[in-house]
Amino acid sequence: MNSRAAQFQLGIGACIASVFLALVAIPGWVSTPSNVPNVILSPLFWPYTLAGLTGLTGLGIIVSTLRGGNNAAAAAEPAEKTQAAWLRLAAMAVIMAATMYALPRLGMVWTCMLVFTATAFLIKTRHPRLALVCAVAVPLVLYAFFAHIAGVAVPQGDFVRLP
């Protein structure tokens, strides 16, 4: 199977997953109270948003595959070593397991900072300083929004508590 066929199948799969989420999974398995005052705070809002974005991404992949183009440059690059790919996959599994271990101990904000940093360096980002800034800023801004504006309790850790 060539790269274009794999990309096309990935786009079709993303569209199918999006439709399944929107029509079956979310209505069937996500419950919500009927008196949610703000639509953004509804438990249905973000799952439907992710389902829609998954569908848009799938459509984008399909369109870019159908538009074609010259893939000679991509074909000329050497294929990545399989062993390195498996090692990165194993490292990502370790990061995920460490996340589940650290969440109740460090809290959501501090754990997310560490996980964001570890993942950024695992994928060898071209912008390490920006990744570090985002690793600190994004969890803090989200904490400030949910804890102080939306009034939603964000899990805190055993060692450091945020105001």
Side-chain angles (χ1 to χ4, degrees), residues 1-9 65 71:
M1 175 183 317
N2 64 11
S3 174
R4 282 181 78 137
Q7 252 188 326
F8 187 75
Q9 289 178 353
T65 303
N71 288 340

Side-chain angles (χ1 to χ4, degrees), residues 56-71:
L56 286 175
T57 302
L59 289 175
I61 291 172
I62 291 170
V63 168
S64 70
T65 303
L66 293 177
R67 284 182 58 198
N70 189 0
N71 288 340

Side-chain angles (χ1 to χ4, degrees), residues 33-122:
S34 60
N35 60 349
V36 177
N38 191 347
V39 69
I40 294 176
L41 298 178
S42 171
L44 294 175
F45 179 76
W46 291 110
Y48 276 121
T49 300
L50 291 175
L53 290 174
T54 300
L56 286 175
T57 302
L59 289 175
I61 291 172
I62 291 170
V63 168
S64 70
T65 303
L66 293 177
R67 284 182 58 198
N70 189 0
N71 288 340
E77 295 178 13
E80 188 176 38
K81 302 254 186 234
T82 306
Q83 183 179 6
W86 283 107
L87 286 174
R88 275 196 315 278
L89 183 63
M92 194 66 212
V94 168
I95 289 172
M96 286 190 255
T99 301
M100 297 312 296
Y101 178 79
L103 270 171
R105 290 156 185 81
L106 297 177
M108 189 169 283
V109 175
W110 302 105
T111 302
C112 288
M113 288 180 190
L114 294 172
V115 168
F116 192 109
T117 303
T119 304
F121 287 111
L122 175 66

